[in-house]
Amino acid sequence: MKLSTFMSHLEGRSEIQFQLPNGQKVPAHFHITEAGHTTKRFIDCGGTFRTTKNLTLQVWVANDTEHRLTPEKLIHILKMAEPLYQEDDLEIEVEYQDTTICRYGLSFEKGVFRFEPKFTDCLAKDHCGIPEAQMPQKNTTTTATCTPGGGCC
């Protein structure tokens, strides 16, 4: 989900709900502890240099069960972070803690922001030498989650 879409979904809402891929809700007392511009520069196995850029939101849960982050406050945080992403409409990536930091994409359905699993892939399939029929297929119905003790990442 792009930042502009995320912001438009926040506007006019009374609460923010996040949901893990397994359907479990992130506790309502979550915090957004970071909003950052992440740039990854790399070379793929075929020798092509690539760059990806994301707006990363770190979602963190503490024991302050009365805490609630309002949509207005999150919009304010994102506007304060504008110098980081220089008004680019970046894709949002969410970090959430399990036994390690898990990274998710984001979607919106029925008033809930859903954490979407991310997958590895070969970006230079024409250089791999692996026949198309033997390439792994992406599993879009995964049930892997990053919940405390879940150990997916």
Side-chain angles (χ1 to χ4, degrees):
M1 173 182 302
K2 298 276 188 184
L3 175 60
S4 62
T5 303
F6 183 63
M7 297 276 276
S8 69
H9 286 308
L10 287 173
E11 291 175 5
R13 302 204 63 74
S14 60
E15 65 181 5
I16 306 166
Q17 291 184 343
F18 287 121
Q19 184 179 41
L20 295 163
N22 69 352
Q24 181 180 352
K25 299 276 170 101
V26 172
H29 57 278
F30 70 88
H31 294 253
I32 300 292
T33 56
E34 294 178 10
H37 179 184
T38 305
T39 301
K40 178 181 174 183
R41 293 184 178 104
F42 59 101
I43 186 170
D44 67 26
C45 60
T48 301
F49 288 89
R50 299 178 186 265
T51 302
T52 59
K53 296 179 181 184
N54 293 299
L55 176 65
T56 304
L57 299 178
Q58 187 176 84
V59 177
W60 179 72
V61 179
N63 293 325
D64 57 341
T65 58
E66 299 303 313
H67 174 268
R68 295 296 182 273
L69 179 65
T70 66
E72 295 82 18
K73 177 69 174 178
L74 182 49
I75 289 169
H76 177 72
I77 291 168
L78 293 169
K79 287 183 178 180
M80 285 191 318
E82 273 183 1
L84 297 174
Y85 55 85
Q86 301 168 357
E87 299 181 19
D88 288 339
D89 194 16
L90 299 175
E91 193 72 24
I92 293 182
E93 182 176 72
V94 177
E95 293 181 347
Y96 189 70
Q97 183 69 45
D98 183 16
T99 55
T100 189
I101 297 171
C102 300
R103 293 181 178 217
Y104 293 104
L106 198 60
S107 67
F108 186 75
E109 185 179 321
K110 298 179 183 172
V112 177
F113 292 100
R114 296 180 43 111
F115 292 180
E116 298 294 339
K118 297 183 83 164
F119 301 93
T120 60
D121 194 8
C122 176
L123 299 176
K125 291 180 180 74
D126 56 332
H127 289 85
C128 284
I130 300 172
E132 180 78 27
Q134 293 178 352
M135 284 286 184
Q137 300 298 311
K138 286 186 181 177
N139 180 1
T140 58
T141 59
T142 185
T143 57
T145 63
C146 281
T147 55
C152 72
C153 305

